[in-house]
Amino acid sequence: MKFLCVECDRQMGFAERELPGDGTLAAVFTCPACHRAVAMLTNPMETQLVASLGVKIGGRTLPEQPLELTRSALQGGREDAFAESPPAGPARPSWDAAARERLERVPLFVRGMVQRIYADYAAEHGIAQVTPEVMDQARRELGLEGM
Ligand SMILES: [Zn+2]
């Protein structure tokens, strides 16, 4: 599995990945020329498919994930970043339980970004509470399939 930077016609290099326990896989590739980054997110079924095909991601095969997971979870432990909602602007939407649960399945290193995208979307649309339906709607409108 390779990614090409269309603008530079260069093969993008693997930069970062996270394999949370739920089977979701996230990998980031960057272009060596323009440093454009691309993130690949797969759901558990797709991850299993990739693993069963023995595809290498980031130069290693998937079965090594338990150790990697422990290490990255210890290093990137920003779990509490989401525990309390951000006190930012006055119009920050709340998250219902289902939406919160869904957000918690997002890989840690992109979770903050994903949360902000949905919160901004809700704020812009005058939506007081983020629900899975709002997330689906935002994904469709913003073209964020997989997030
Ligand atoms: Zn490039």
Side-chain angles (χ1 to χ4, degrees):
M1 197 176 299
K2 304 285 184 200
F3 288 91
L4 282 179
C5 176
V6 176
E7 304 237 329
C8 309
D9 197 27
R10 292 280 299 271
Q11 184 179 317
M12 296 178 98
F14 173 80
E16 188 178 3
R17 74 161 172 189
E18 179 133 340
L19 294 164
D22 66 358
T24 308
L25 169 71
V28 176
F29 297 82
T30 55
C31 171
C34 70
H35 302 292
R36 181 190 305 259
V38 158
M40 179 186 73
L41 299 173
T42 65
N43 65 33
M45 197 180 296
E46 291 162 342
T47 303
Q48 223 172 30
L49 178 69
V50 171
S52 70
L53 291 172
V55 174
K56 287 190 176 188
I57 293 183
R60 277 162 292 172
T61 46
L62 287 173
E64 284 183 40
Q65 61 178 275
L67 267 180
E68 298 280 331
L69 173 64
T70 307
R71 215 175 54 201
S72 63
L74 287 174
Q75 279 175 353
R78 299 206 330 265
E79 195 72 61
D80 59 326
F82 180 62
E84 59 264 70
S85 346
R92 301 320 279 175
S94 64
W95 291 67
D96 80 355
R100 203 168 270 270
E101 198 184 304
R102 192 154 132 184
L103 185 67
E104 280 165 8
R105 291 201 298 264
V106 174
L108 262 185
F109 80 94
V110 290
R111 189 179 298 162
M113 183 187 77
V114 170
Q115 180 185 6
R116 198 159 52 242
I117 289 170
Y118 287 128
D120 287 349
Y121 176 88
E124 280 164 20
H125 291 73
I127 296 166
Q129 186 174 54
V130 178
T131 63
E133 289 71 33
V134 170
M135 294 170 89
D136 286 337
Q137 187 185 327
R139 273 170 38 172
R140 276 195 305 273
E141 284 189 27
L142 304 173
L144 297 174
E145 291 309 318
M147 295 174 90

